[in-house]
Amino acid sequence: MDSLNTRYVEISPEDIDDKVLSEAGDILKAGGLVAFPTETVYGLGGDGLNPLSSKKIYEAKGRPSDNPLILHIASMDAVEHIAKDVTPEAYKLMEQFWPGPLTVILNKKDNVPDETTGGLKTVAIRMPSHPVAKRLIELSGLYIAAPSANTSGRPSPTKGSHVKEDLFGKIDMIIDSGAVGIGIESSIIDMTGERPMLLRPGYIKPEDVEEVLGEVDIDPVVLGKLMPEGTAPKAPGMKYRHYAPKGDMEVVKGEEIKVSEYILKNVRADADDGKRVAILTTEENKAIYQKALDGLVAGEGNADKPGNRDKVTIISLGSCAKAGQISAHLFDALRSLDNMDIEMIYSETFYEDDMGMAVMNRLLKAAAYKVIEV
Ligand code: TXA
Ligand code: MG
């Protein structure tokens, strides 16, 4: 693809520069692409009703064009312009959680092009709460189609620098507003069936939705069950191996002490083989690995291989006692593994209070569902 002259701007969410955001809006209106922050992850925006913009989005991401895009809106009246048959329950859901990290699937109106919905008769809609996203949508006057602003197959970007890594030279503008708050993509609820169905877990939990709507079904892929061959997942994006680090990855599950024993045994063996290894753990547990592995430098049985400790990277995703830390750091950690050319990754299982399901869903995808029970 031709190399574009990408404009990189920083905008503080506390001090929004309307002039720059209007220019970004003009780029979008002219069919160009602008990456912008949302409260979940950075999005790659284009005019959602312009088929050519959607084509450009797929090209820039290297994403299969049957994987539909989410339309981002800034006010409730926008819904009826792009969706039809919207039930009172669907409105109730949107009113409760918007603006915020929830995407709703509704039947689409004819003005939404097949290029945006991947040929589906439904459309995904979300009203973000991030002030920069909100203002950009308002100033552009558009329905902004925006997938996560990463190259297809890489972790979603949670910082402007991640977007730069993947899309610099491929899009017209990148708006950097620092690290996002949530760090994992929005929850997706399909409201076109008889009962609401969760297609992708996120910050908004099924229990939260149940409080408003009663029972919610959960798509089996969400729970980490692989699709039987020949069946199609409800959210087309779920069939691709997302967030895949270059190295192999195992998620280790079981009693805490057995988990750390398993990880340590394997890390030592891999490091002895000269492999670059990483451990994904928590603030609470990282000392267990540090203590045990520091013995590797001149340690028992390793005196002949003094350099092995250098092969091992211990990454803490944050404290599991503080809500939202693990999810906020997960994608950044997965990216750093690639940047360090890590060949083998061992991850603990994270039972974070509020976002456990969302975190484990992303982690299992990254590991291609390789779970070791100890
Ligand atoms: O938090 C988010 O949702 C971010 C920010 C930028 O808003 N966006 C995002 O977009 O994660 P993307 O394209 O990376 O993921 C959208 C997911 C895909 O799995 C896609 O298959 C699904 O939504 N999706 C979109 N339209 C759909 C539809 N009509 N029916 C079912 N699933 C749909
Ligand atoms: Mg994505």
Side-chain angles (χ1 to χ4, degrees), residues 100-344:
L102 175 76
T103 295
V104 178
I105 309 290
L106 299 167
N107 288 318
K108 81 171 189 77
K109 278 200 170 153
D110 290 342
N111 58 340
V112 183
D114 282 343
E115 283 80 356
T116 299
T117 64
L120 294 177
K121 295 294 158 219
T122 53
V123 59
I125 309 179
R126 167 160 127 74
M127 189 194 292
S129 62
H130 194 292
V132 173
K134 190 168 176 286
R135 193 71 186 133
L136 175 63
I137 300 165
E138 283 167 0
L139 289 170
S140 71
L142 299 172
Y143 307 92
I144 301 184
S148 49
N150 52 287
T151 301
S152 191
R154 295 211 77 201
S156 293
T158 56
K159 293 174 176 171
S161 59
H162 297 163
V163 180
K164 197 172 181 182
E165 271 176 16
D166 285 10
L167 297 176
F168 200 82
K170 295 183 173 171
I171 63 177
D172 300 287
M173 188 178 201
I174 296 173
I175 300 171
D176 179 349
S177 300
V180 299
I182 295 177
I184 280 188
E185 308 87 344
S186 60
S187 314
I188 304 182
I189 304 269
D190 184 351
M191 290 302 290
T192 63
E194 240 167 66
R195 277 213 289 201
M197 186 187 271
L198 180 75
L199 306 186
R200 180 173 75 180
Y203 181 82
I204 309 241
K205 304 187 293 295
E207 301 90 283
D208 303 333
V209 176
E210 283 181 345
E211 269 180 41
V212 185
L213 297 183
E215 228 178 308
V216 171
D217 292 333
I218 300 180
D219 189 350
V221 281
V222 168
L223 303 170
K225 299 199 178 75
L226 283 172
M227 301 299 292
E229 245 176 81
T231 57
K234 302 269 180 339
M238 297 297 226
K239 72 174 173 251
Y240 302 104
R241 186 190 169 198
H242 266 166
Y243 327 116
K246 287 185 214 146
D248 285 328
M249 182 165 171
E250 284 181 4
V251 177
V252 190
K253 191 175 173 184
E255 223 179 289
E256 232 176 59
I257 191 139
K258 288 195 178 149
V259 168
S260 56
E261 273 170 16
Y262 174 91
I263 292 179
L264 281 167
K265 185 176 102 209
N266 283 276
V267 162
R268 287 199 177 99
D270 288 346
D272 279 355
D273 287 345
K275 273 196 198 164
R276 302 180 68 88
V277 213
I279 302 170
L280 296 186
T281 179
T282 57
E283 248 352 79
E284 286 80 3
N285 286 355
K286 73 176 183 198
I288 301 175
Y289 299 103
Q290 272 162 351
K291 263 199 201 151
L293 291 171
D294 286 345
L296 271 183
V297 178
E300 319 88 279
N302 284 291
D304 51 332
K305 294 172 185 136
N308 291 342
R309 179 64 181 84
D310 299 347
K311 299 273 178 212
V312 188
T313 305
I314 301 167
I315 299 181
S316 160
L317 295 180
S319 166
C320 49
K322 293 191 193 130
Q325 286 213 352
I326 309 278
S327 54
H329 298 136
L330 179 63
F331 288 153
D332 187 44
L334 291 179
R335 276 180 182 264
S336 67
L337 296 169
D338 279 352
N339 295 341
M340 291 183 288
D341 289 318
I342 301 288
E343 295 160 276
M344 187 68 215

Side-chain angles (χ1 to χ4, degrees), residues 68-79:
L69 309 174
I70 298 172
L71 290 187
H72 294 66
I73 61 173
S75 76
M76 209 49 142
D77 355 312
V79 172

